[in-house]
Amino acid sequence: MEKRFEYRGELAVTPLAEVLATINRYRVPGVLSLARETRMRKIYLDDGRVIFATSNEREVSLGMYLLKEGILKPDAAREAESRRTREGLRLGQVLLQMGILTPESLNQAVVNQVRGILWGAFDWDKGEVVFEIGPRKGQELVRLDISIPEVILEGIRRTTDVRHIVARLGSAQTVFDRTQSSLISLFTAPEQKYYQVVDGRTPLQKLCTRGPGSVPENARILYAFFCLGLLRRSRASAPAAKKIQYKTEGGSLGN
């Protein structure tokens, strides 16, 4: 039977945070697939929560995570890989048999590895994105069980390309209105105070200098407000305003 997709698009047009925000509004289960050349990441969602993430990229595999953390030594890694291939087992099962990990430490390692796959996906600024509706088949070793809004906020906090975020918000003179949403509770007290600075008159360029953190950090928080529906562009925004230029060294946004 031919697969039916709810959504198919490009990350260069609609970033991951905004795709997830749309999915969250409908709270349907499914798999969000991100593809870039031969690389693939999949995010599994159910009832407004992220439950798992996978990737075919060797650099974010469990073995590489354990090596980077110093939990697994190179010689042991080679032996474990050999046994995994020979016996047809998962790497985690082999490491348990070898006594390198306990069930508890394995679960924690998998959680951390999966989180790394998830957060890293927010830095993908290009590639195809497909959302396929349907419940997750099979059981994984661990379940993340993080609400989509929390994932959006944390993913944006970790995004490295602030210029891309600012471009999504608008021009230097774009202004925003606040909206009513209980999701403001996800933010810290200083960030909630920053939210009150948005008044429908102060342009984006100035807003980015009036938050609790650096200019890049403030831009991330404004984008999180925007993605989570706490802000909307005001009709007072000038349509032909100058674009913001982000200075990576000076940490400021200027003309």
Side-chain angles (χ1 to χ4, degrees), residues 215-228:
V215 170
E217 291 168 343
N218 296 337
R220 291 186 183 94
I221 295 305
L222 287 172
Y223 183 58
F225 288 154
F226 180 74
C227 288
L228 293 175

Side-chain angles (χ1 to χ4, degrees), residues 4-244:
R4 298 178 62 185
F5 299 104
E6 175 71 13
Y7 176 86
R8 184 186 295 270
E10 292 290 332
L11 291 171
V13 177
T14 309
L16 176 59
E18 295 174 46
V19 174
L20 285 171
T22 300
I23 294 172
N24 186 56
R25 288 198 289 270
Y26 297 97
R27 303 181 74 85
V28 292
V31 181
L32 187 64
S33 300
L34 286 63
R36 185 174 60 184
E37 297 177 345
T38 61
R39 297 171 178 261
M40 173 76 74
R41 296 195 184 196
K42 292 188 176 183
I43 302 171
Y44 299 87
L45 307 110
D46 187 17
D47 193 29
R49 307 187 74 80
V50 173
I51 60 175
F52 202 70
T54 62
S55 173
N56 67 350
E57 301 161 278
R58 183 175 181 275
E59 59 265 33
V60 293
S61 66
L62 177 61
M64 289 301 296
Y65 167 78
L66 294 171
L67 280 168
K68 290 176 182 177
E69 293 296 313
I71 300 171
L72 186 62
K73 303 303 180 183
D75 288 346
R78 286 189 289 270
E79 180 184 349
E81 180 62 24
S82 176
R83 291 177 59 171
R84 185 192 69 81
T85 302
R86 184 172 64 252
E87 299 174 19
L89 300 174
R90 288 189 174 188
L91 177 62
Q93 294 174 304
V94 173
L95 295 175
L96 288 174
Q97 292 178 358
M98 294 173 65
I100 295 174
L101 296 176
T102 64
E104 294 76 16
S105 62
L106 173 59
N107 282 359
Q108 188 58 57
V110 173
V111 167
N112 293 339
Q113 177 234 349
V114 171
R115 285 175 178 265
I117 293 172
L118 182 59
W119 306 139
F122 282 83
D123 270 332
W124 283 33
D125 57 2
K126 60 183 178 181
E128 183 184 39
V129 55
V130 175
F131 180 59
E132 180 186 353
I133 292 178
R136 170 71 172 138
K137 297 180 180 179
Q139 296 294 323
E140 298 295 342
L141 181 63
V142 299
R143 181 183 172 101
L144 291 184
D145 199 28
I146 312 172
S147 75
I148 293 177
E150 290 178 286
V151 168
I152 291 171
L153 176 56
E154 186 63 25
I156 291 172
R157 289 190 195 279
R158 294 168 179 264
T159 301
T160 57
D161 189 357
V162 180
R163 290 172 294 183
H164 186 58
I165 284 176
V166 172
R168 295 299 300 173
L169 286 170
S171 69
Q173 301 306 313
T174 299
V175 296
F176 299 90
D177 294 322
R178 298 194 304 270
T179 62
Q180 297 296 320
S181 174
S182 61
L183 293 179
I184 189 64
S185 64
L186 296 177
F187 295 82
T188 65
E191 291 165 350
Q192 292 182 34
K193 185 176 181 181
Y194 181 36
Y195 180 61
Q196 300 303 316
V197 176
V198 180
D199 56 7
R201 298 186 301 275
T202 305
L204 175 59
Q205 187 171 13
K206 290 186 178 179
L207 282 176
C208 286
T209 67
R210 296 184 179 178
S214 65
V215 170
E217 291 168 343
N218 296 337
R220 291 186 183 94
I221 295 305
L222 287 172
Y223 183 58
F225 288 154
F226 180 74
C227 288
L228 293 175
L230 291 159
L231 297 181
R232 64 187 176 201
R233 293 187 187 91
S234 172
R235 294 180 180 178
S237 296
K242 294 181 180 179
K243 292 184 178 179
I244 292 178

